[in-house]
Amino acid sequence: VSDIKSDKPIVFGVKKNSNILKSLLTYLKSNVSERLDIPLLIIDDEADYASINIKYDEGNNEDVSAINGAIRGILDFFERSSYVGYTATHFANIFIDKFASNSDVGSDLFPKDFVMSLDTPNNYKGPEHYFSEDNTSLIFDKGIIKKIDDHQDSIPIKHNSDFLLHDIPETMKRAIRQFVISSALAEDIGFNNSSHSMLINASINTDVHMQISDKVSSELSKLKRSLEIWHLDYSNAIKDPEIQNLFNIFEEDYLSYNKDLKTKYSDSPKEKLLNQFYESAKSIRIITLNSKGKDHLDYSKRQRVIAIGGFNLSRGLTLEGLLVSYFLRNSRMLDTLLQMGR
């Protein structure tokens, strides 16, 4: 864009990173010598995170954190500007000092004009549905949520970045097979034009993510090999421990909990099911989503994905066709807990 004063609307999609935001402000200032007298609208997604001035201290409100200062600097450079923040957890925003101001970057981001609660979508089920007293026993009894209680010897909740992973928990191995089954069933009942995904969030450390990825890949490869060898021969396939285990999980975690599935699949030919599991497993790929990884999600085409990460999978990111979530994380941050709950 050579002329920021163009009559045509200009849209910037900007990552909320202080260096990128500062570069944008530098670019704006390089085109004009004074404040811009054109309207600006900033839409800030996840406005409760990073946008808050975490350096603010009552009595010394000249201290401004980098991202907060960059956003305020851009707003202050325009004669006419509006700021709209979106967040599912607005606790931090409403406690911003509405009088806070800085001589260089202007007023803070207190929502002084309005706070509006958006209606909950009809297909949304939040923490109240899954974890309220009325629903807790129902959800656990139906097998939708399973407690992880076998992780301490393999992945302790608290571990450092130099942690060496020798094996993944048995519950994670089971969850991988649940994903193979769930994806196959989703295809069979008509969800065959969308992506299917599984989430594994068991550490905040990127190096540990890579180790988990290697172990998950090894576990999935064992199952794929057995399915590839035996998918056309159920009578011998069921003698393979991997195939036995897969069908046991299908019976225990699906048919025993769901009457509709039991009706549909109890009399279904086992050869057909075996083939469906094979087709499901063979196309699954494993990606690592973190600051060091080079993997990315491509929703322009159908895919079966096991996504492994920490921070990226704790906040904001939505996985298309999410069928299985494996969380082995805690947090002292209420907003992060709510995000992971979502």
Side-chain angles (χ1 to χ4, degrees):
V1 181
S2 58
D3 186 3
I4 200 68
K5 292 186 176 181
S6 167
D7 292 334
K8 297 180 180 179
I10 301 172
V11 178
F12 294 93
V14 184
K15 183 177 181 180
K16 197 155 54 175
N17 172 283
S18 60
N19 291 327
I20 296 174
L21 290 168
K22 288 174 183 176
S23 295
L24 175 59
L25 183 56
T26 299
Y27 162 74
L28 294 172
K29 289 182 175 180
S30 70
N31 279 269
V32 293
S33 57
E34 55 188 13
R35 295 175 76 199
L36 286 168
D37 190 20
I38 56 176
L40 166 73
L41 171 64
I42 287 183
I43 299 175
D44 183 359
D45 191 25
E46 304 290 354
D48 65 311
Y49 191 81
S51 304
I52 306 298
N53 181 13
I54 59 174
K55 287 191 174 181
Y56 176 80
D57 180 21
E58 188 173 356
N60 185 22
N61 61 16
E62 287 293 304
D63 289 338
V64 178
S65 52
I67 292 176
N68 175 268
I71 294 173
R72 291 162 62 180
I74 293 171
L75 286 166
D76 193 57
F77 190 65
F78 286 75
E79 295 287 349
R80 293 171 285 160
S81 62
S82 295
Y83 170 87
V84 179
Y86 283 85
T87 173
T89 51
H90 58 275
F91 313 112
N93 305 79
I94 62 176
F95 287 112
I96 295 172
D97 183 353
K98 64 180 179 180
F99 300 112
S101 184
N102 177 279
S103 56
D104 294 324
V105 295
S107 299
D108 209 344
L109 303 176
F110 176 74
K112 64 181 184 300
D113 295 307
F114 61 87
V115 176
M116 182 181 295
S117 178
L118 301 180
D119 292 335
T120 303
N122 293 333
N123 62 349
Y124 175 79
K125 290 181 173 62
E128 294 85 358
H129 174 83
Y130 289 109
F131 299 110
S132 68
E133 290 183 3
D134 293 339
N135 286 304
T136 299
S137 60
L138 176 67
I139 296 300
F140 278 92
D141 288 347
K142 286 195 170 184
I144 296 174
I145 296 175
K146 293 182 178 295
K147 293 182 180 179
I148 299 171
D149 55 8
D150 64 340
H151 64 88
Q152 195 58 38
D153 292 336
S154 49
I155 310 178
I157 289 291
K158 293 183 178 180
H159 55 264
N160 298 321
S161 57
D162 59 355
F163 172 75
L164 293 178
L165 177 66
H166 299 291
D167 198 7
I168 55 177
E170 290 298 319
T171 48
M172 188 182 293
K173 296 176 183 179
R174 190 179 188 93
I176 294 166
R177 287 156 179 80
Q178 288 172 337
F179 177 53
V180 170
I181 295 169
S182 296
S183 184
L185 299 186
E187 290 277 321
D188 194 41
I189 63 176
F191 292 93
N192 50 8
N193 291 317
S194 61
S195 295
H196 300 159
S197 59
M198 174 183 177
L199 175 158
I200 297 178
N201 187 337
S203 176
I204 61 172
N205 299 303
T206 55
D207 290 340
V208 179
H209 299 161
M210 304 309 297
Q211 295 181 69
I212 294 173
S213 180
D214 289 342
K215 299 295 184 184
V216 170
S217 178
S218 176
E219 199 64 32
L220 184 62
S221 294
K222 288 193 299 183
L223 178 59
K224 284 183 176 181
R225 281 195 299 271
S226 291
L227 286 168
E228 186 174 9
I229 293 169
W230 300 114
H231 71 282
L232 297 176
D233 184 6
Y234 175 77
S235 60
N236 285 308
I238 201 61
K239 301 173 186 176
D240 184 318
E242 282 290 342
I243 307 299
Q244 286 180 16
N245 187 28
L246 192 65
F247 274 87
N248 286 340
I249 293 171
F250 178 54
E251 174 67 37
E252 295 166 6
D253 295 345
Y254 294 83
L255 301 190
S256 64
Y257 284 110
N258 191 300
K259 292 180 180 179
D260 293 334
L261 288 180
K262 191 172 184 67
T263 300
K264 180 176 176 63
Y265 290 107
S266 288
D267 297 326
S268 179
K270 296 298 189 292
E271 291 80 4
K272 179 184 177 183
L273 277 170
L274 185 61
N275 263 284
Q276 289 171 332
F277 295 155
Y278 165 66
E279 292 294 333
S280 171
K282 74 176 184 179
S283 60
I284 293 173
R285 68 187 185 99
I286 298 166
I287 62 173
T288 306
L289 299 176
N290 59 31
S291 58
K292 292 184 178 180
K294 298 180 180 179
D295 296 329
H296 65 280
L297 293 164
D298 181 7
Y299 286 139
S300 64
K301 55 187 178 182
R302 283 182 59 225
Q303 55 184 339
R304 285 188 176 95
V305 170
I306 297 177
I308 298 168
F311 182 80
N312 286 356
L313 296 179
S314 294
R315 304 184 56 90
L317 179 65
T318 299
L319 294 175
E320 184 177 321
L322 182 61
L323 298 176
V324 177
S325 298
Y326 190 93
F327 270 104
L328 186 56
R329 288 281 311 282
N330 62 3
S331 175
R332 296 179 180 177
M333 306 299 289
L334 178 60
D335 56 346
T336 300
L337 281 174
L338 286 174
Q339 292 280 8
M340 289 196 290
R342 291 168 64 206

